[in-house]
Amino acid sequence: MNACHKELLRKHRLQLCAEVLVDGLVVQYLYQEGILTENHLQEISAEVTNQRKTMKLLDILPTRGPRAFAVFLDSLQEFPWVRESLAARCLEIQEAPSCTVSSGIPPHVLASPPTDKQISQLASRLGTEWEQIVIHLGLSQSDIYRCKVNHPSSVQSQMVAAFIMWRQKHGKKATTQVLCDTLLVEEVDPSVIHHMLH
């Protein structure tokens, strides 16, 4: 699920809790489409009130991959007014430049690979989430392990090595735009991205 969709669910959390009954067709549809697991169904049904069940679902959805938001919209067959409202707001967000951190950055910067300096600045601001970010970018657990073994005394050096490895592996496809988009999806604070780019 991308950062814009997560933001949309967060902003409309209380409205969704008030208007959507998730216990029934909504969760069953999400289960049928592979967005929810049996464990998720049990977690949701264990909640006492419908509002709490909806809150639990909204906590789970952002962790369920890129299809989760679209399938969630599809699951709202019984609540067409909610579905239409979310779909309309989603379009507004996608058309607004504020959805991306890259506004104001020259296109040639975004289209080129991040420099060593930018990678170093990024690594200085990231925490434990760096491993999930480089996995999202396409590195394997063994790649991460290699970076850790090669730089046992410095986590920042491990991060720098991992991002440089990603850049080397993916060549021209390892652009600053791809890196920024991944950081947004992984919910890294936008100030970290601004620090890297400026």
Side-chain angles (χ1 to χ4, degrees), residues 114 119 122 126 129-140 143-144 159 162-167 169-171 173-186 196:
I119 287 172
L122 175 63
L126 286 179
E129 73 273 28
W130 74 271
E131 291 186 36
Q132 191 58 42
I133 292 164
V134 295
I135 285 172
H136 193 119
L137 287 168
L139 294 193
S140 65
D143 291 330
I144 293 171
M159 289 186 224
F163 286 114
I164 288 174
M165 186 185 287
W166 161 71
R167 193 178 64 190
K169 275 189 166 192
H170 294 272
K173 291 181 181 175
T175 65
T176 303
Q177 181 70 65
V178 168
L179 180 57
C180 288
D181 291 345
T182 302
L183 293 170
L184 282 174
V185 168
E186 292 296 330
M196 174 184 76

Side-chain angles (χ1 to χ4, degrees), residues 152-172:
S153 58
S154 168
V155 176
Q156 187 172 341
S157 297
Q158 293 168 12
M159 289 186 224
V160 169
F163 286 114
I164 288 174
M165 186 185 287
W166 161 71
R167 193 178 64 190
Q168 289 169 339
K169 275 189 166 192
H170 294 272
K172 289 182 180 177

Side-chain angles (χ1 to χ4, degrees), residues 4-5 8 69 73 85-95:
C4 296
H5 293 156
L8 199 58
F69 186 79
L73 286 186
S85 169
L86 279 177
R89 290 204 174 97
C90 189
L91 279 175
E92 286 169 20
I93 288 175
Q94 286 172 348
E95 288 165 6

Side-chain angles (χ1 to χ4, degrees), residues 52-65:
R52 291 198 173 277
K53 288 178 182 181
T54 306
M55 280 186 194
K56 177 57 79 176
L57 174 64
L58 294 175
D59 290 340
I60 294 168
L61 275 177
T63 68
R64 300 305 298 157

Side-chain angles (χ1 to χ4, degrees), residues 21-135:
L21 301 168
V22 299
D23 207 15
L25 291 181
V26 173
V27 290
Q28 291 305 321
Y29 183 79
L30 290 166
Y31 176 66
Q32 170 193 297
E33 296 300 310
I35 300 299
L36 297 180
T37 64
E38 270 186 57
N39 283 346
H40 293 135
L41 291 185
Q42 289 169 5
E43 283 180 45
I44 292 165
S45 62
E47 297 294 337
V48 183
T49 66
N50 184 64
Q51 279 88 355
R52 291 198 173 277
K53 288 178 182 181
T54 306
M55 280 186 194
K56 177 57 79 176
L57 174 64
L58 294 175
D59 290 340
I60 294 168
L61 275 177
T63 68
R64 300 305 298 157
R67 291 176 54 243
F69 186 79
V71 177
F72 175 61
L73 286 186
D74 290 343
S75 77
L76 298 173
Q77 299 291 336
E78 296 177 297
F79 310 95
W81 66 94
V82 178
R83 187 175 67 182
E84 286 163 20
S85 169
L86 279 177
R89 290 204 174 97
C90 189
L91 279 175
E92 286 169 20
I93 288 175
Q94 286 172 348
E95 288 165 6
S98 62
C99 185
T100 175
V101 172
S102 59
S103 52
I105 310 299
H108 72 276
V109 172
L110 293 171
S112 59
T115 64
D116 288 355
K117 183 180 177 185
Q118 288 171 330
I119 287 172
S120 182
Q121 286 177 319
L122 175 63
S124 72
R125 293 285 187 98
L126 286 179
T128 54
E129 73 273 28
W130 74 271
E131 291 186 36
Q132 191 58 42
I133 292 164
V134 295
I135 285 172

